[in-house]
Amino acid sequence: MELSPRHRMILKATVDEFIQENRPVGSKTLFDKHDIGLSPASIRTVLKELEDMGYLASRHISGGRIPTERGYRFYVDSLVVVYELTIKEKQRIQEEYLKMQFKLDQILKATASVLASLSNSAGVVLGPAKSLDTLKHVELIHVHGDEVLMIMVMRSGAVLNRSVFLDRNYSQEELYQISKYLNDNAKGYDMFEIQEKVIPSLLLRKDGPLDFYKVSNVLSAAMTPDNSEVSLYIDGLKNLYGRFRDDEEERLNQVLALLDDKRFLTGMFGEYSEHDGVYTVIGKDGDGLMGGVSIITSGYRMGEKRIGAMGIIGPQRMDYHRALPLVDFTSKLVSEMITRISK
């Protein structure tokens, strides 16, 4: 059944009131506090219709109504007025990043903190797969005989060491020439791009030192990243304790259990890292464990490449008007910074 303008108006007022006060909403409250233009009796009729359609529920026969997951879903998709962040809010976010040394892990850790503090919920950031970390500098150092230490400094600040064995004993000068050629041509690319595009292209160009072509396969194999573990940054757990009433302990425990489930978070946020825009996952939209929980998430980029996702987790009774633009603005700002440091 299509919701009429009257249904929409009262559903929005009911959800707004419940988010603000965290208690069931009755017709008298809507009549007294919201400019609806209907009598209390007419409001009660509409509330009953919305309950029959599954948008609202009542905990007690004589009590007020609370939004259902279906009600929240319609509210977020069709009724929320997304506010513009104030200049002060934007400055506060930007100032947090000015404290950083512009290393990837520091930026992502700060992002979880920013999202948590400004949303009064939990902030979660899914770091990029290690294969998406870009190369800043590579150095080949002779160890002994045909053994060489390959040191790769990444834009994230990570330093990767690989021991490789070449076809013969190369001098340090020969290794320096190979390193210089790689730095001139592979810097700024991620490991996958270096293996699949850069090195094959260099092999076709044939403009590098002859020794490079003899060892290219070994060096390419040594650049295979370990994607077995993706970094998760979580902040704001303490915020959640003040967001639930005493009789909502079960829901609080559900949120805390989700935040402790790294596989769930990696899968959930990983799914949305591939998409543009801001998404809201409400309750069982995402998983049976998410009753009473909402997630607002958005991906972030390095240049044109989508590399991770971020967002906030909290009760369904969250301020969507401000949470949505907060996640949107922060994801765009982080994308700009990561793109800058990757060059």
Side-chain angles (χ1 to χ4, degrees):
M1 177 179 177
E2 183 73 22
L3 292 187
S4 68
R6 177 179 291 190
H7 287 123
R8 288 168 173 256
M9 176 175 60
I10 292 185
L11 177 61
K12 183 179 186 304
T14 302
V15 179
D16 285 342
E17 184 68 25
F18 184 73
I19 287 173
Q20 182 175 348
E21 300 295 336
N22 193 19
R23 60 189 179 199
V25 182
S27 57
K28 186 176 186 307
T29 298
L30 295 178
F31 178 78
D32 291 341
K33 296 178 64 176
H34 298 264
D35 185 17
I36 292 177
L38 297 174
S39 68
S42 296
I43 294 174
R44 280 195 297 273
T45 299
V46 178
L47 289 173
K48 179 64 169 60
E49 291 170 350
L50 288 168
E51 183 176 356
D52 292 341
M53 289 185 284
Y55 293 96
L56 299 176
S58 54
R59 292 172 175 166
H60 307 286
I61 295 176
S62 59
R65 269 78 173 187
I66 62 174
T68 63
E69 288 180 359
R70 185 180 186 187
Y72 278 119
R73 179 78 273 164
F74 188 86
Y75 175 82
V76 170
D77 291 345
S78 304
L79 302 178
V80 165
V81 177
V82 178
Y83 298 148
E84 174 74 18
L85 293 180
T86 65
I87 294 176
K88 186 175 181 180
E89 288 170 325
K90 291 180 178 179
Q91 287 176 337
R92 180 179 171 187
I93 295 172
Q94 291 165 335
E95 285 168 1
E96 286 297 316
Y97 293 111
L98 291 177
K99 302 174 186 176
M100 302 296 106
Q101 296 178 19
F102 288 98
K103 291 184 178 180
L104 181 60
D105 58 339
Q106 293 178 325
I107 290 173
L108 300 183
K109 183 178 180 181
T111 299
S113 176
V114 164
L115 292 173
S117 62
L118 291 182
S119 68
N120 197 29
S121 294
V124 178
V125 179
L126 177 68
K130 290 182 173 58
S131 61
L132 297 176
D133 199 354
T134 55
L135 182 69
K136 182 177 182 180
H137 184 79
V138 61
E139 197 71 40
L140 300 174
I141 299 175
H142 180 256
V143 178
H144 177 75
D146 60 355
E147 183 180 359
V148 170
L149 179 64
M150 184 178 187
I151 302 175
M152 293 173 285
V153 181
M154 312 306 292
R155 289 291 184 186
S156 67
V159 178
L160 309 179
N161 297 320
R162 301 282 192 272
S163 289
V164 297
F165 294 87
L166 305 181
D167 60 321
R168 66 173 175 82
N169 185 344
Y170 285 83
S171 70
Q172 188 58 56
E173 177 59 28
E174 290 172 318
L175 295 174
Y176 169 77
Q177 294 301 326
I178 298 172
S179 301
K180 183 177 185 304
Y181 187 62
L182 276 174
N183 284 315
D184 289 343
N185 292 281
K187 183 173 63 176
Y189 291 94
D190 64 48
M191 296 291 103
F192 181 80
E193 290 171 327
I194 293 173
Q195 289 180 312
E196 299 295 321
K197 298 178 181 178
V198 176
I199 289 181
S201 174
L202 296 179
L203 293 176
L204 291 175
R205 278 167 41 182
K206 298 187 182 301
D207 61 351
L210 181 60
D211 292 326
F212 167 76
Y213 302 99
K214 296 178 181 178
V215 301
S216 59
N217 287 339
V218 176
L219 298 183
S220 178
M223 290 182 174
T224 301
D226 177 13
N227 282 333
S228 59
E229 183 177 347
V230 177
S231 298
L232 273 170
Y233 304 83
I234 302 173
D235 201 322
L237 294 181
K238 63 181 182 297
N239 294 335
L240 298 174
Y241 289 94
R243 302 297 306 278
F244 294 86
R245 300 192 310 266
D246 292 340
D247 61 348
E248 294 180 311
E249 183 178 354
E250 182 178 350
R251 288 189 174 181
L252 171 60
N253 290 334
Q254 282 179 302
V255 179
L256 296 176
L258 288 179
L259 290 168
D260 194 45
D261 188 344
K262 301 299 188 291
R263 290 184 61 184
F264 173 84
L265 293 176
T266 299
M268 171 64 71
F269 283 85
E271 177 182 349
Y272 291 95
S273 67
E274 298 298 320
H275 303 284
D276 290 325
V278 180
Y279 290 82
T280 305
V281 183
I282 299 176
K284 295 181 177 64
D285 283 0
D287 189 273
L289 298 174
M290 286 182 55
V293 179
S294 286
I295 296 177
I296 299 178
T297 180
S298 177
Y300 60 90
R301 294 171 172 263
M302 180 173 60
E304 295 302 313
K305 187 188 309 177
R306 302 180 182 92
I307 63 171
M310 66 182 65
I312 58 177
I313 296 181
Q316 290 175 359
R317 186 188 56 82
M318 67 169 63
D319 187 351
Y320 297 96
H321 300 282
R322 296 209 174 274
L324 289 165
L326 169 63
V327 173
D328 184 46
F329 176 79
T330 306
S331 66
K332 291 175 179 175
L333 180 61
V334 168
S335 295
E336 291 174 6
M337 287 189 294
I338 292 176
T339 298
R340 194 180 309 137
I341 68 172
S342 70
K343 294 180 178 178

